[in-house]
């Protein structure tokens, strides 16, 4: 039996539901929306419980938007899924999704390969990895490295200078940019005019 696009689940959604710091979650309504996948080809291997989409893959689910050269979804015997996004040659696989907590908050990420395990709820971004939080078009926080790991259960992430997941001396530098939090200025009390004497 062939799966329909509207019933396909994508566990990668869970990682996209978190911000870099774990303080703000993505649009909860997205989990109730159908998943639509467009690609040049789909291969469904029922025996190995594997769905492979190739060729300019575009996945949407509510506010979630994923673009990759190839997406592979595998279901293990316990029913947990592993999602792997591969970039097209010379490009990066990417995702973008709205976060809860404000009217225009977003999270974006990109890398040559992105993996998410539904069983461990850990996502991994490999090679030229980048994640950022945004308020509208303004980037509020961002991290860059050869490897980014995010554990959504522990709300913990790490960034390393090699795509093996280990930082190595001489292997390059990671970059984190955290914008200052600017509070809105307190309203100035209205100036009072002294009453004129009679």
């Amino acid at each position: 039996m062939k799966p329909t696009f509207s019933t396909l689940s994508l566990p990668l959604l869970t990682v996209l539901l978190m911000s870099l710091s774990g303080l703000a979650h993505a649009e909860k309504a997205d989990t109730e929306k159908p998943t639509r996948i467009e690609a040049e080809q789909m291969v469904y291997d029922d025996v190995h419980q594997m769905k492979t989409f190739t060729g300019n893959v575009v996945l949407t689910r509510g506010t979630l938007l994923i673009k990759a050269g190839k997406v592979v979804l595998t279901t293990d015997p316990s029913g947990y899924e592993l999602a792997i996004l591969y970039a097209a040659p010379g490009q990066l696989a990417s995702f973008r999704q709205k976060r809860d907590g404000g009217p225009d908050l977003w999270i974006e990420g990109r890398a040559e390969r992105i993996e998410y395990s539904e069983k461990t709820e850990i996502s991994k971004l490999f090679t030229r990895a980048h994640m950022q939080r945004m308020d509208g078009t303004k980037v509020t926080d961002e991290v860059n490295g050869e490897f980014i790991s995010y554990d959504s259960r522990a709300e913990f992430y790490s960034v390393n200078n090699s795509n093996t997941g280990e930082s190595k001396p001489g292997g390059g530098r990671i970059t984190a940019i955290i914008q200052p939090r600017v509070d809105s200025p307190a309203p100035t009390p209205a100036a009072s005019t002294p009453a004129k004497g009679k």
Side-chain angles (χ1 to χ4, degrees):
M1 178 175 164
K2 292 184 179 179
T4 62
F5 291 151
S6 62
T7 61
L8 292 175
S9 62
L10 184 67
L12 176 63
L13 177 64
T14 303
V15 68
L16 308 181
L17 300 181
M18 300 296 194
S19 69
L20 294 178
S21 65
L23 298 176
H25 300 277
E27 186 89 341
K28 291 185 181 109
D30 285 353
T31 60
E32 300 171 0
K33 302 286 176 65
T35 300
R36 177 183 173 89
I37 303 175
E38 298 176 17
E40 293 173 6
Q41 182 182 26
M42 173 187 164
V43 176
Y44 180 40
D45 183 342
D46 194 25
V47 173
H48 297 98
Q49 288 295 294
M50 182 182 297
K51 306 170 207 58
T52 303
F53 301 87
T54 54
N56 192 25
V57 183
V58 178
L59 181 149
T60 55
R61 183 175 188 177
T63 67
L64 172 65
L65 173 65
I66 290 174
K67 295 182 178 181
K70 179 179 177 181
V71 175
V72 179
L73 303 175
T74 306
T75 307
D76 73 14
S78 299
Y80 292 106
E81 284 194 321
L82 173 68
I84 306 176
L85 281 65
Y86 298 93
Q91 299 180 17
L92 297 174
S94 67
F95 66 82
R96 173 180 168 85
Q97 187 172 37
K98 190 176 185 300
R99 296 184 288 128
D100 281 333
D104 201 19
L105 301 178
W106 296 84
I107 183 167
E108 295 182 350
R110 58 184 179 267
E112 289 187 12
R113 186 172 89 248
I114 301 172
E115 296 181 1
Y116 177 74
S117 167
E118 184 180 32
K119 187 173 185 177
T120 62
E121 295 184 24
I122 294 174
S123 57
K124 299 175 181 179
L125 287 74
F126 297 87
T127 310
R128 297 192 289 159
H130 173 87
M131 289 183 75
Q132 65 185 29
R133 292 189 302 172
M134 302 176 70
D135 185 349
T137 58
K138 179 185 176 187
V139 176
T140 56
D141 300 298
E142 62 183 302
V143 290
N144 297 281
E146 285 300 293
F147 176 83
I148 299 173
S149 176
Y150 182 78
D151 183 332
S152 63
R153 288 179 184 166
E155 296 184 350
F156 174 84
Y157 71 97
S158 63
V159 186
N160 300 87
N161 68 0
S162 75
N163 62 12
T164 63
E166 300 175 317
S167 285
K168 298 180 179 179
R173 307 278 288 169
I174 65 98
T175 305
I177 301 172
I178 303 167
Q179 300 295 334
R181 301 291 184 230
V182 180
D183 293 330
S184 299
T188 310
S192 58
T193 307
K196 293 183 181 180
K198 292 183 176 180

